């Protein structure tokens, strides 16, 4: 990975990691919503997760890093799980997306360190 791609990958990965963690926390929070709160919470959560997926798609398009593609795929699965209200599984799947972007950040960090950019 060249240094320019490493910088972009690191920035995208750190941002995505934070967003995915929030998405996972919101997914778990939806479990505690009561009755009429759930449908609105579900719609809002799906919108948030789709927004995160758009960010990941932009990161993948900008860097071509397969870890971002893997995170996109995991997040797509998680969105489907939220749609069917399988929230525990959705949160676990979002965790797999976090792992994928963390791998990208670690690899980018190593390249930046090797080039004495950090």
């Amino acid at each position: 990975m060249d240094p320019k791609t490493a910088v972009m990958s690191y920035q995208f990965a750190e941002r995505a990691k934070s967003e995915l963690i929030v998405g996972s926390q919101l997914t778990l929070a939806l479990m505690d919503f009561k009755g009429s709160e759930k449908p609105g919470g579900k719609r809002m959560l799906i919108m948030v997760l789709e927004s995160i997926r758009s960010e990941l798609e932009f990161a993948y398009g900008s860097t071509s890093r397969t870890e971002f593609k893997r995170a996109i795929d995991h997040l797509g699965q998680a969105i489907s799980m939220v749609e069917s209200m399988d929230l525990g599984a959705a949160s676990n799947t979002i965790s797999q997306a976090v792992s994928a972007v963390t791998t990208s950040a670690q690899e980018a960090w190593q390249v930046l360190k090797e080039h004495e950019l950090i």
Side-chain angles (χ1 to χ4, degrees), residues 82-96:
V82 169
E83 288 171 343
S84 63
M85 291 302 285
D86 190 359
L87 301 174
S91 180
N92 289 338
T93 304
I94 294 170
S95 296
Q96 293 173 330

Side-chain angles (χ1 to χ4, degrees), residues 97-117:
V98 171
S99 294
V101 297
T102 299
T103 298
S104 181
Q106 289 171 332
E107 291 174 4
W109 176 269
Q110 186 62 37
V111 170
L112 295 172
K113 188 174 178 183
E114 288 170 4
H115 287 85
E116 297 179 358
L117 296 170

Side-chain angles (χ1 to χ4, degrees), residues 45-112:
L45 176 58
I46 290 169
M47 289 171 42
V48 168
L49 295 177
E50 287 175 346
S51 176
I52 297 168
R53 183 168 53 185
S54 291
E55 293 279 337
L56 288 167
E57 288 169 347
F58 184 77
Y60 177 63
S62 298
T63 65
S64 300
R65 300 287 300 162
T66 58
E67 295 84 8
F68 291 120
K69 177 66 172 131
R70 238 187 342 267
I72 292 165
D73 294 342
H74 288 307
L75 195 52
Q77 292 171 358
I79 290 168
S80 293
M81 292 170 183
V82 169
E83 288 171 343
S84 63
M85 291 302 285
D86 190 359
L87 301 174
S91 180
N92 289 338
T93 304
I94 294 170
S95 296
Q96 293 173 330
V98 171
S99 294
V101 297
T102 299
T103 298
S104 181
Q106 289 171 332
E107 291 174 4
W109 176 269
Q110 186 62 37
V111 170
L112 295 172

